[in-house]
């Protein structure tokens, strides 16, 4: 009986997986160098992203700072060791967002910013008085103080960016008969896109003229940064016509008449089927008229005004007036009486200077007057001189039996009725030349074209977003390139499973190229072909991964050592 020798099937050896560090050390030197460069570049990109994220959190400290205020604020921030940045344009300071409110309070406590665009100081100039100051220096300092206060006040207006006030204050002298009056000039720099109306300019003129004694409003000139004269003297205002208040009154009159016209026509023709315009000519001239009227006395009790003057003179009889030139001639005896041949007889004189009978004289003057009426009339300003109304009414619209829109003009009678309504609504007066015109015309309905907006890629918000995100996105792309081109290949090479050895490798040389491993003689159990192939493949892999162990194993087999 044959003793069957059961051969011992060797257990397949599984090599121990080496560590990541060992695999990285096993990589080629070039791959290791590229991996190190990639890790260093990725670290730099991450640091840059972190720094950019911190720098992006900046807020505006003070906008639109002048050069003087900006220099003072920067000097104070440097002393406080606070980082700052300039925004686009250089007039805005940016600081870390976490310290905005703290810095504003601290700078405000130090009087910064002063808010004077030109560096003009006000009455604080009078706080310091120099010893030995002359009267001229004191007067100049007072003038500078007034100019600074006016500059600060004008700059507080929303539309004014900067202002400069120049005062011409002549020295008053009591020896001059005619004193020179003060004058002022104001130069304004407005914000871009801002304007001042006539009312605002007049307000600035009133502020300046009211701040300086004996300064008339017509002596104040307001000029903008381009040199254009914004204010005008009193003569210029009279020549130009209406002022702001008169224009406002005229608009109110026109708006009230237009409102009455639309209130009458819209219920009749429809709100969207009428367009109207009213123009008014207003008389703002003030006229004073004086009239004297004479009329005879009327009524039973009317009395005629009489002015009477009387004069009466008389001489008493038997006395003779004493008269004559003193001397011998006056003392001569009376001349004998003689009778004329013809004519009336003369009065006889008594002997010894006797006097004749006395004579009397009377005068009377009477003056008659009639009634007198004096009337003084002063016309009020703002009377309507003439009204003109133009009204356009749309055609009557409807729908025909087929469902299409139709347009029918109004008849002459309907137009006349609408004209009568408009005339009654505005208080039509033909004597003052009022004109009312009502016409009927079809309205053209045009499609409202969309506003010409810039495309999406030209929108300001999109540009700002792209500008702020350009740096982070660029750094992120650089990081991705570094990871996928330098670091990832090294990691894949280190983490990849070992590949099967090629024919003719070191394991094949050790085992002699025979896929069947040697074993003891005798009958071996039949092995399934797939299992045998797997074991052979595992042995080859072990020989490739650990050739030293495989050589030691074969050496043991040859020496007959138990394994």
């Amino acid at each position: 009986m044959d003793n069957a020798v059961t051969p011992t099937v060797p257990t397949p050896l599984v090599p121990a997986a080496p560590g990541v560090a060992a695999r990285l050390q096993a990589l080629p030197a070039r791959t290791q160098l590229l991996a190190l460069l990639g890790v260093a570049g990725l670290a730099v990109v991450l640091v840059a992203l972190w720094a950019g994220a911190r720098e992006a959190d900046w807020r505006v400290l003070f906008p639109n700072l002048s050069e003087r205020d900006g220099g003072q604020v920067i000097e104070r921030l440097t002393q406080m060791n606070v980082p700052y940045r300039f925004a686009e344009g250089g007039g805005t300071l940016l600081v870390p967002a976490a310290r905005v409110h703290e810095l504003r309070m601290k700078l405000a406590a130090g009087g910064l910013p002063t808010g004077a665009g030109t560096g003009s100081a006000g009455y604080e100039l009078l706080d310091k008085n120099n010893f030995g100051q002359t009267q001229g220096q004191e007067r100049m300092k007072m003038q500078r103080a007034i100019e600074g206060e006016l500059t600060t006040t004008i700059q507080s207006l929303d539309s004014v960016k900067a202002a400069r006030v120049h005062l011409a204050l002549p020295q008053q002298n009591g020896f001059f008969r005619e004193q020179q009056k003060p004058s002022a000039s104001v130069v304004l720099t407005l914000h871009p896109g801002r304007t001042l109306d006539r009312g605002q300019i007049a307000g600035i003129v009133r502020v300046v003229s009211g701040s300086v004694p004996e300064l008339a409003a017509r002596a104040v000139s307001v000029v903008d940064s381009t040199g254009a004269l914004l204010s005008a003297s009193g003569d210029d205002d009279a020549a130009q016509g209406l002022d702001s208040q008169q224009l406002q009154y005229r608009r109110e009159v026109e708006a009230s008449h237009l409102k009455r016209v639309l209130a009458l026509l819209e219920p009749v023709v429809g709100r969207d089927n009428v367009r109207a315009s009213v123009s008014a000519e207003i008389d703002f001239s003030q006229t004073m008229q004086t009239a004297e009227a004479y009329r005879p006395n009327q009524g039973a009790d009317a009395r005629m005004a009489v002015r009477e003057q009387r004069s009466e003179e008389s001489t008493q009889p038997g006395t003779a007036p004493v008269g004559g030139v003193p001397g011998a001639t006056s003392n001569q005896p009376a001349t004998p009486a003689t009778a004329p041949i013809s004519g009336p007889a003369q009065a006889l004189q008594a002997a010894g200077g006797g006097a004749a009978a006395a004579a009397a004289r009377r005068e009377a003057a009477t003056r008659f007057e009639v009634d007198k009426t004096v009337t003084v009339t002063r016309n009020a300003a703002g009377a309507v001189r003439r009204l003109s109304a133009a009204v356009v009414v749309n055609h009557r619209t409807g729908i025909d039996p087929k469902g299409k829109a139709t347009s029918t003009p109004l008849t002459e009678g309907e137009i006349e009725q609408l004209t009568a309504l408009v005339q009654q609504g505005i208080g039509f007066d033909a004597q003052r030349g009022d004109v009312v015109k009502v016409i009927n015309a079809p309205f053209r309905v045009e499609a409202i074209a969309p506003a010409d907006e810039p495309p999406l890629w030209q929108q300001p918000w999109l540009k700002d977003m792209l500008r702020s995100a350009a740096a982070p996105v660029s750094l992120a792309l650089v990081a991705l390139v570094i990871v996928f081109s330098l670091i990832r290949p090294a990691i894949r090479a280190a983490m990849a499973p070992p590949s099967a050895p090629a024919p003719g490798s070191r394991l094949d040389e050790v085992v002699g190229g025979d896929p069947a491993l040697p074993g003891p003689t005798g009958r071996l159990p039949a092995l399934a072909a797939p299992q045998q192939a797997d074991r052979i493949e595992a042995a080859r892999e072990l020989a490739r991964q650990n050739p030293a162990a495989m050589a030691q194993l074969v050496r043991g087999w040859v020496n007959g050592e138990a394994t």
Side-chain angles (χ1 to χ4, degrees), residues 142-143 146-147 150 165-169 183-185 208 212 215:
M142 186 64 186
Q143 179 176 340
I146 297 176
E147 291 177 352
L150 289 175
V165 179
H166 301 275
L167 297 178
L169 303 179
S183 60
S185 300
V208 176
V212 180
L215 177 59

Side-chain angles (χ1 to χ4, degrees), residues 367-381:
R367 182 179 177 181
F368 298 91
E369 295 181 355
V370 295
D371 294 341
K372 177 181 179 182
T373 302
V374 179
T375 303
V376 179
T377 304
R378 183 174 182 177
N379 297 331

Side-chain angles (χ1 to χ4, degrees), residues 397-407:
T397 58
I399 299 177
D400 59 2
K402 297 182 179 180
K404 295 182 179 180
T406 59
S407 178

Side-chain angles (χ1 to χ4, degrees), residues 34 107 117 177 188 206 212 226 246 259 274 360 372 384 393 395 408 445-446 479 492 500 551 556:
L34 292 178
L107 293 175
R177 179 173 300 176
L188 302 178
R206 295 296 181 183
V212 180
T226 62
Q246 293 174 349
K259 184 178 180 180
V274 60
K372 177 181 179 182
V384 178
V393 181
H395 284 183
T408 306
V445 180
E446 297 180 356
R492 293 186 63 180

Side-chain angles (χ1 to χ4, degrees), residues 56-355:
D57 196 11
W58 291 75
R59 295 292 183 269
V60 176
L61 180 62
F62 294 115
N64 301 324
L65 287 175
S66 62
E67 295 180 357
R68 180 183 179 88
D69 290 340
Q72 295 177 354
V73 172
I74 290 175
E75 182 179 0
R76 186 65 60 84
L77 293 178
T78 304
Q79 295 175 358
M80 299 168 61
N81 296 325
V82 177
Y84 61 88
R85 294 174 56 185
F86 290 99
E88 185 177 358
T92 302
L93 282 178
L94 302 178
V95 294
R99 304 191 61 183
V100 169
H101 301 290
E102 174 190 358
L103 294 175
R104 285 179 181 174
M105 292 181 181
K106 290 183 178 180
L107 293 175
L112 293 177
T114 59
T118 58
S120 299
Y123 288 123
E124 56 268 18
L125 290 174
L126 304 178
D127 296 339
K128 298 180 181 180
N129 295 325
N130 299 328
F131 181 75
Q133 184 176 2
T134 63
Q135 185 179 2
Q137 293 176 349
E138 183 179 359
R139 184 171 61 253
M140 182 57 64
K141 183 181 292 187
M142 186 64 186
Q143 179 176 340
R144 289 181 55 196
I146 297 176
E147 291 177 352
E149 291 294 331
L150 289 175
T151 299
T152 305
T153 302
I154 296 174
Q155 284 180 352
S156 63
L157 300 178
D158 295 336
S159 301
V160 179
K161 181 179 181 181
R164 189 69 182 269
V165 179
H166 301 275
L167 297 178
L169 303 179
Q171 183 178 2
Q172 303 296 335
N173 194 333
F175 296 99
F176 294 156
R177 179 173 300 176
E178 294 182 0
Q179 300 291 342
Q180 186 178 0
K181 299 299 182 180
S183 60
S185 300
V186 181
V187 181
L188 302 178
T189 301
L190 304 179
H191 289 288
R194 302 286 186 90
T195 57
L196 295 176
D197 56 15
R198 295 187 61 183
Q200 292 174 322
I201 297 172
I204 294 175
V205 171
R206 295 296 181 183
V207 168
V208 176
S209 62
S211 302
V212 180
E214 298 184 2
L215 177 59
R218 61 177 179 273
V220 179
S221 300
V222 181
V223 183
D224 62 2
S225 57
T226 62
L229 182 63
L230 302 180
S231 63
S233 61
D235 297 338
D236 295 338
D237 293 338
Q240 291 177 2
L242 305 181
D243 57 10
S244 58
Q245 295 181 354
Q246 293 174 349
L247 289 174
Q248 181 66 24
Y249 176 75
R250 177 179 176 179
R251 295 191 191 100
E252 292 177 357
V253 172
E254 294 175 349
S256 63
H257 286 83
L258 179 60
K259 184 178 180 180
R260 288 196 291 268
V261 170
L262 295 178
L264 290 173
L265 297 183
E266 285 180 353
V268 179
V269 298
R271 181 175 182 180
D272 297 332
N273 293 326
V274 60
R275 299 292 185 272
S277 175
V278 178
S279 177
E281 295 182 7
I282 309 299
D283 186 9
F284 292 101
S285 60
Q286 296 182 356
T287 305
M288 186 171 62
Q289 182 180 2
T290 303
E292 294 184 0
Y294 295 92
R295 62 182 180 83
N297 295 327
Q298 298 178 359
D301 297 336
R303 297 181 180 180
M304 187 177 297
V306 177
R307 180 181 179 184
E308 184 177 356
Q309 181 179 1
R310 296 179 180 273
S311 177
E312 183 176 354
E313 182 179 356
S314 61
T315 302
Q316 295 296 330
T319 61
V322 178
V325 180
T329 307
S330 302
N331 296 326
Q332 295 295 326
T335 306
T338 59
I341 299 175
S342 62
Q346 294 182 358
L348 298 177
Q349 294 183 355

Side-chain angles (χ1 to χ4, degrees), residues 269 272-275 391-397 407-411 415 418 437-445:
V269 298
D272 297 332
N273 293 326
V274 60
R275 299 292 185 272
V391 181
V392 181
V393 181
N394 190 18
H395 284 183
R396 183 184 294 106
T397 58
S407 178
T408 306
L410 301 180
T411 61
I415 295 177
L418 296 179
K437 186 66 176 179
V438 178
I439 64 173
N440 179 224
F443 287 2
R444 178 179 296 180
V445 180

Side-chain angles (χ1 to χ4, degrees), residues 503-529:
S505 63
R506 188 175 181 179
L507 180 62
D508 291 340
E509 292 177 0
V510 172
V511 299
D514 189 2
L517 294 177
T521 59
R523 187 169 55 85
L524 299 176
L527 299 176

